[in-house]
Each structure stands twice: as structure tokens, then as C-alpha cells.
Amino acid sequence: MAGVTSILSRDRGMRLRVQVLVVPFVYLDLASRSITEYRKGYFLDINVPVDYGIRMYIRDEKDILNPMFVPLITEDLSNLPQAIVVTAEFDPLRDQGEAYAKRLMESGVSTLSFRVNGMVHGFIGSPNVSRLVTVMVGSALKDILTRG
């Protein structure tokens, strides 16, 4: 949602300073390595064609190719707010999140991207790891927001 909000804000003339995406859903690439390897048994199970978690956000399966649902396929990612993208090693959505970060960088968007090794999609519920990631993201946000 943060990615799409950033795109919509840019397109409507609103200026956001930063977008933060933690284990984001930005595209459903069923051929990606992370979905192939981690689609079952790593906290977030991905069922084809579309599982219940995804159905909560779409009207029908055609929306899977709608850039307002999957920002990775948005044609123009330039002039978006700075980004912080956090992925998890054993997350089926990892490759797509990292591809989004790469596309942002290629589009000239200042982007901090990091992978939390050894973690699954829902790692943010793990107190120790979650605290460390929160401190890292918070420090980057503080730096971005205080630079003026």
C-alpha cells in the first residue's frame, strides 16, 4: 500500500518525503525464485492462482495486473519519495520487494534496501528481530526527515 500511495500522491501533486515498505507485496511473480522456493511452509503460504489474503484487496483476478495493486509494474517510478525497503530471506515475496527497490533506484529514487537474513515474511512479530529492524528503519527515517 505504501508504494501505491506514493505513486498516487506524486500523480496528484502531493509531496511525500519517504515511503517505507516492510516485506511488501508489490507483484505476484509465480516464477520468481523466492516464490518457487518459499511458497509453502515459511509462514506465508502462496496458493495459486490467488489466495485469500490477496483476494481481500482485489475485485477479480484481472486486478493482479493493475499497477494500482502491484506497483512493481507501474511504468514510471521516477519522482517518488525516498524509499526504505525491507525484505526477509525466506519470504516468498522477497524477490519482488527487492526488484521494486532496484527499479526505484534505476528511476533515480534514493532508496535504502536491506534483507533480514534467516527470517520469514512475518518476522516483524519476532520481538528481538523486530526491535532491531525498527531501530534501523527509525534511524533512517530520522535522517531523512531531519535533513530538510
Side-chain angles (χ1 to χ4, degrees), residues 43-89:
F43 182 78
L44 178 65
D45 288 346
I46 304 287
N47 301 308
V48 255
V50 180
D51 73 5
Y52 173 75
I54 295 168
R55 285 193 188 279
M56 293 188 310
Y57 296 99
I58 63 173
R59 296 169 296 220
D60 62 49
E61 290 184 17
K62 288 181 281 191
D63 283 341
I64 291 176
L65 298 176
N66 180 341
M68 289 299 103
F69 177 64
V70 288
L72 181 59
I73 65 172
T74 299
E75 193 171 310
D76 179 15
L77 293 179
S78 64
N79 299 312
L80 290 177
Q82 294 181 62
I84 301 169
V85 181
V86 182
T87 58
E89 180 178 12

Side-chain angles (χ1 to χ4, degrees), residues 2-128:
V4 171
T5 299
S6 296
I7 294 164
L8 288 172
S9 296
R10 175 204 61 195
D11 293 349
R12 294 178 182 173
M14 294 180 274
R15 174 141 164 61
L16 298 178
R17 301 269 312 271
V18 64
Q19 56 181 310
V20 178
L21 299 94
V22 179
V23 292
F25 178 93
V26 292
Y27 183 66
L28 187 61
D29 179 0
L30 297 174
S32 76
R33 181 176 174 205
S34 62
I35 282 201
T36 301
E37 291 182 7
Y38 310 122
R39 81 178 323 135
K40 290 273 188 216
Y42 290 89
F43 182 78
L44 178 65
D45 288 346
I46 304 287
N47 301 308
V48 255
V50 180
D51 73 5
Y52 173 75
I54 295 168
R55 285 193 188 279
M56 293 188 310
Y57 296 99
I58 63 173
R59 296 169 296 220
D60 62 49
E61 290 184 17
K62 288 181 281 191
D63 283 341
I64 291 176
L65 298 176
N66 180 341
M68 289 299 103
F69 177 64
V70 288
L72 181 59
I73 65 172
T74 299
E75 193 171 310
D76 179 15
L77 293 179
S78 64
N79 299 312
L80 290 177
Q82 294 181 62
I84 301 169
V85 181
V86 182
T87 58
E89 180 178 12
F90 300 119
D91 183 359
L93 305 178
R94 180 197 70 211
D95 293 346
Q96 293 82 312
E98 292 174 0
Y100 181 70
K102 182 178 181 199
R103 281 222 38 232
L104 288 170
M105 289 181 232
E106 292 169 347
S107 298
V109 176
S110 178
T111 302
L112 168 65
S113 176
F114 63 94
R115 178 189 297 178
V116 183
N117 288 328
M119 292 293 114
V120 297
H121 180 81
F123 80 86
I124 207 69
S126 169
N128 292 334

